Amino acid sequence: MRRLAVLGSTGSIGTQTLEVVRRNPSDFEVVSLTCGSNIDLLFEQITEFSPLAVSVYDEDKAIELKNRLKTHPQISVDVYYGEQGDVTCALLPEADTVLGAIVGVAGLKPVYEAVKAGKDIALANKETLVAGGDIIMPLVKQTGVSLLPVDSEHCAIWQCLWGERKDNLDRILITASGGPFRGYSREQLADVTVERALAHPTWKMGGKITIDSSTMMNKGLEVIEASHLFDISVDKIDVVVHPQSVVHSMIRLKDGSVLAQMGKPSMILPIMVALYYPDRGQMLLEEFDPFTAPCNCLTFERCDTGVFGLLDLAYDAGRKKGLLPSVMNAANEAAVGAFLEGKIAFLDIENTVRKVYEEYEPRNTKEFGIDDVLGASAEAFARAKELLGL
Ligand code: NAD
Ligand code: MG
């Protein structure tokens, strides 16, 4: 039985995690839940899963939830708010595993504190490793906790590596759908709308990651995430555009063997793999059918980095390390937020991230702690907004 703190419970990953719990009630217990502001859904989740504590990032919304709970005296749950609320919910002694599904670098602090406290982490929130991987990974080693990848590509790579000696790994081939704008030119990208960017061809996900998939920044973040999780240089990771999203990633071993993990594009399976590790849960999805589309026609191609420039920028950040990945990530969060609000054009995302990154580069430092990461992130976020006139 895993006793879960689900951070970001109202989002795409959070709700799918709770679906896994709902379908397997004897295998999991929900100890705490947190969200940004969606207290209507959080309230439903409280009534269904009876957590001991919840947190809402938005303080006013937390107060509103408290007032609503007063009219339901049969429900007993502690309500917290803000970053400290996320941390409190992650650290509850009753929880043994933290499912990190907050979006953005906001997820870093609670995961960092949870690792320090010896909790196992099932991690969807890739920005945590992009910004804080150099801090989190040594801490994971030191505390001996399990860091269980939920991001589908990383879950695939992880499974391919089970039982394999580390020095047998030669390269990682991380797959990417290519997003809704695969095959577009720069000119065509100039006037794409939010609606079109949100119409992902194969995956149904939260807003920020869907936009990241359309700029290929998602894959850039995932390359850095993989370099931390599997302790490998970004130059040993290739991005393979695979529009059918059936092969979730591959590894190449030193003798030339290539191992892949396949399945439907659904996050239910990676969530289950992480939460049941080292066991396996019972299949919840339809069976894999190799004879019907898209499984019977798999294709692979290179990413056009002349069009999707953020992928190369992420490789650069992954090589230079220091605070540059945090700066790139935070500038991207600011720009993607502005694009989602309809305030900027699609290509402004890349231009802004690049500008903030290049401005910061001369100040990049190698020695840093979590406060430096959060400070550099806040600074880059503010600078991106300033450049965008917001
Ligand atoms: P989402 O936007 O659907 O959900 C985000 C969740 O975080 C929501 O519950 C929101 O209320 C909560 N949240 C936001 N700020 C918060 C804060 N400060 N404190 C507490 N909660 C906060 O996003 P998502 O698609 O579920 O993605 C979550 C993370 O998982 C991202 O890092 C994403 O890159 C990663 N991921 C998602 C998918 C997917 O299929 N959705 C796949 C792989 C990785
Ligand atoms: Mg992914």
Side-chain angles (χ1 to χ4, degrees):
M1 152 97 57
R2 277 201 191 268
R3 297 162 66 86
L4 300 173
V6 182
L7 310 183
S9 68
T10 60
S12 165
I13 295 290
T15 52
Q16 292 182 84
T17 300
L18 293 179
E19 176 62 14
V20 171
V21 172
R22 182 179 292 122
R23 302 276 291 269
N24 300 280
S26 54
D27 296 337
F28 303 105
E29 191 175 311
V30 173
V31 173
S32 59
L33 300 168
T34 82
C35 77
S37 60
N38 186 352
I39 55 169
D40 292 336
L41 182 52
L42 184 62
F43 183 80
E44 279 177 31
Q45 294 176 344
I46 293 169
T47 53
E48 182 177 357
F49 294 102
S50 310
L52 299 173
V54 298
S55 181
V56 184
Y57 188 75
D58 182 317
E59 184 179 356
D60 291 339
K61 290 283 180 186
I63 293 168
E64 205 181 316
L65 176 67
K66 269 190 188 175
N67 290 334
R68 194 179 301 180
L69 285 164
K70 278 186 194 147
T71 62
H72 297 78
Q74 76 284 8
I75 302 177
S76 157
V77 61
D78 293 327
V79 179
Y80 301 96
Y81 67 88
E83 184 179 83
Q84 190 49 46
D86 278 317
V87 173
T88 303
C89 284
L91 296 190
L92 283 191
E94 291 82 356
D96 53 45
T97 304
V98 171
L99 187 293
I102 292 176
V103 58
V105 74
L108 171 59
K109 188 75 186 290
V111 164
Y112 169 78
E113 294 295 342
V115 175
K116 273 211 306 199
K119 313 277 186 195
D120 284 346
I121 311 287
L123 191 64
N125 174 224
K126 63 196 75 184
E127 296 91 343
T128 281
L129 283 184
V130 170
D134 286 324
I135 295 158
I136 298 278
M137 295 313 294
L139 208 54
V140 164
K141 238 188 193 159
Q142 196 185 317
T143 55
V145 303
S146 297
L147 180 54
L148 312 157
V150 171
D151 208 347
S152 58
E153 297 77 2
H154 305 75
C155 179
I157 296 160
W158 181 48
Q159 290 180 74
C160 290
L161 282 167
W162 287 356
E164 204 58 67
R165 270 203 352 237
K166 190 174 173 291
D167 59 352
N168 286 340
L169 178 63
D170 177 32
R171 284 193 95 72
I172 286 177
L173 310 175
I174 192 164
T175 50
S177 71
F181 305 134
R182 184 174 63 90
Y184 275 43
S185 65
R186 279 304 271 194
E187 293 67 39
Q188 285 174 299
L189 284 184
D191 57 2
V192 298
T193 60
V194 177
E195 290 67 33
R196 279 168 64 202
L198 283 176
H200 195 280
T202 49
W203 290 94
K204 200 170 173 309
M205 311 175 285
K208 194 252 173 190
I209 181 176
T210 307
I211 301 303
D212 284 346
S213 300
S214 74
T215 62
M216 293 303 287
M217 178 50 113
N218 183 51
K219 214 44 58 179
L221 299 176
E222 290 186 352
V223 166
I224 299 176
E225 180 187 15
S227 79
H228 286 296
L229 280 171
F230 307 112
D231 191 21
I232 189 170
S233 142
V234 292
D235 291 312
K236 291 214 149 219
I237 304 174
D238 295 321
V239 170
V240 179
V241 174
H242 166 53
Q244 298 82 22
S245 301
V246 170
V247 175
H248 295 317
S249 277
M250 301 173 257
I251 62 168
R252 197 175 77 200
L253 300 172
K254 71 176 185 194
D255 64 359
S257 296
V258 175
L259 310 186
Q261 187 266 330
M262 294 187 240
K264 297 208 178 279
S266 162
M267 292 307 294
I268 290 284
L269 190 57
I271 291 167
M272 283 181 59
V273 173
L275 293 185
Y276 277 98
Y277 180 78
D279 290 329
R280 292 273 185 183
Q282 285 299 323
M283 186 165 70
L284 293 182
L285 302 171
E286 259 176 73
E287 258 174 59
F288 180 81
D289 176 3
F291 304 112
T292 51
C295 305
N296 62 352
C297 58
L298 306 183
T299 62
F300 304 96
E301 63 197 45
R302 285 185 202 285
C303 175
D304 187 347
T305 50
V307 175
F308 299 98
L310 285 173
L311 184 57
D312 277 348
L313 194 79
Y315 269 94
D316 193 63
R319 269 177 218 118
K320 290 180 180 149
K321 294 174 168 276
L323 291 168
L324 277 170
S326 319
V327 166
M328 175 193 71
N329 175 65
N332 181 59
E333 284 188 31
V336 170
F339 177 72
L340 279 168
E341 288 170 15
K343 293 180 177 159
I344 64 169
F346 187 77
L347 288 176
D348 289 338
I349 301 174
E350 180 180 327
N351 295 337
T352 308
V353 174
R354 189 178 297 285
K355 181 103 192 354
V356 175
Y357 183 90
E358 284 169 358
E359 277 180 9
Y360 194 86
E361 209 173 333
R363 288 197 286 142
N364 192 35
T365 48
K366 287 269 185 283
E367 286 292 311
F368 56 93
I370 185 154
D371 291 336
D372 302 303
V373 169
L374 295 175
S377 296
E379 190 188 324
F381 190 90
R383 179 65 183 138
K385 288 189 91 163
E386 187 183 21
L387 287 170
L388 290 165
L390 301 170

